[in-house]
Amino acid sequence: MAASREDTGRQEAAVKLAAAQASEGATVAVPGPDAAVQLPPPRGEAATPSAAEAAREARMPRVTVESRHVETDSPPTTRVVRAAGKPSQDAPQRTTLVRGKMQVTRGAFEHDPVVGWLVVVGGPGIGQFRPIFEGNNSLGRASSNRIPIDFGDDAISSEEQAYIRYDSAERSFLFVPNLAKTNVVSVNEKRPTGAVELAQMDVITMGRTQLVFVPFCGADFDWSALQEQS
């Protein structure tokens, strides 16, 4: 009986050894009392993995296409696809960036060019303005004047109470009171008795209305300079 138990123990140990070697892909003959025991061939890819292999695969990180590291020097994968064909004529025109100085096309004046403004800073019509044109400009309450001061101030003469003249050759402005009128006019609180040269921000008082002179043309600019370049 002791010998039988010893043989049984050796056989069990041999089976365990053969099983371990078979898991590594070898076919082992197990000695026994009758015949050698042939273990099954190693499992294929479709066979069920052993517990040890399943545990080992679970511990190993899986690398997928999404988890791969993309090198910075790899070529870009984004492609820009442009629509074929020409844009239709109904499509809005795109803004074109033009660098450098553009050529300005100049022509004849359709209206008298503006050379300055009178801005109402006191009296009826405060906040309003009137343009000053090249040449001689009459000032009065009636609309027939070239510069009508028609904001409701009855103290202003209806016809030609004063004149503002712009001389393009001299590039200067003159204020000329109409001495035939009894209505009082003043420039910077002084009553002129003849032509007075106007400077920027001078205050002209007519009746109860105060007007500030704002020039556009002068020493730095004149419309004749543009006509000479055309």
Side-chain angles (χ1 to χ4, degrees):
M1 293 177 63
S4 178
R5 284 196 300 269
E6 185 178 357
D7 293 340
T8 302
R10 285 198 300 268
Q11 187 174 2
E12 291 178 355
V15 170
K16 291 181 180 180
L17 177 61
Q21 294 178 354
S23 62
E24 297 178 357
T27 302
V28 181
V30 181
D34 298 329
V37 178
Q38 297 293 329
L39 295 178
R43 61 181 180 87
E45 295 182 357
T48 304
S50 64
E53 291 178 342
R56 186 165 54 253
E57 291 179 358
R59 289 193 298 269
M60 295 178 62
R62 288 182 172 270
V63 180
T64 60
V65 177
E66 292 77 11
S67 62
R68 289 180 180 174
H69 175 67
V70 179
E71 299 294 337
T72 56
D73 56 352
S74 300
T77 57
T78 304
R79 294 194 311 166
V80 178
V81 179
R82 301 184 181 276
K86 296 182 180 180
S88 61
Q89 296 181 355
D90 298 335
Q93 297 294 328
R94 294 185 177 181
T95 303
T96 303
L97 178 61
V98 180
R99 298 184 182 275
K101 186 176 180 181
M102 294 190 62
Q103 184 67 28
V104 179
T105 303
R106 303 181 180 91
F109 291 111
E110 297 181 0
H111 305 283
D112 293 333
V114 174
V115 296
W117 298 272
L118 292 175
V119 182
V120 182
V121 297
I126 185 170
Q128 301 292 323
F129 69 94
R130 288 289 182 265
I132 304 172
F133 302 100
E134 188 175 5
N136 192 36
N137 299 266
S138 61
L139 285 80
R141 195 175 69 253
S143 58
S144 58
N145 292 279
R146 202 174 187 190
I147 304 179
I149 312 300
D150 51 355
F151 303 111
D153 187 355
D154 297 335
I156 299 175
S157 176
S158 177
E159 299 291 341
E160 301 177 353
Q161 183 171 337
Y163 305 91
I164 293 180
R165 297 174 183 173
Y166 174 71
D167 186 353
S168 60
E170 298 293 334
R171 297 192 179 186
S172 62
F173 291 85
L174 294 177
F175 179 82
V176 183
N178 188 353
L179 299 179
K181 299 290 182 179
T182 58
N183 305 73
V184 178
V185 296
S186 64
V187 177
N188 297 329
E189 298 182 355
K190 295 180 180 181
R191 298 181 181 180
T193 57
V196 177
E197 187 172 357
L198 291 175
Q200 184 176 355
M201 301 304 291
D202 280 348
V203 179
I204 302 171
T205 302
M206 301 177 64
R208 299 185 300 274
T209 302
Q210 288 80 43
L211 307 161
V212 170
F213 169 66
V214 182
F216 177 64
C217 294
D220 297 329
F221 171 78
D222 185 79
W223 293 109
S224 59
L226 296 182
Q227 292 177 340
E228 291 172 0
Q229 296 176 7
S230 60

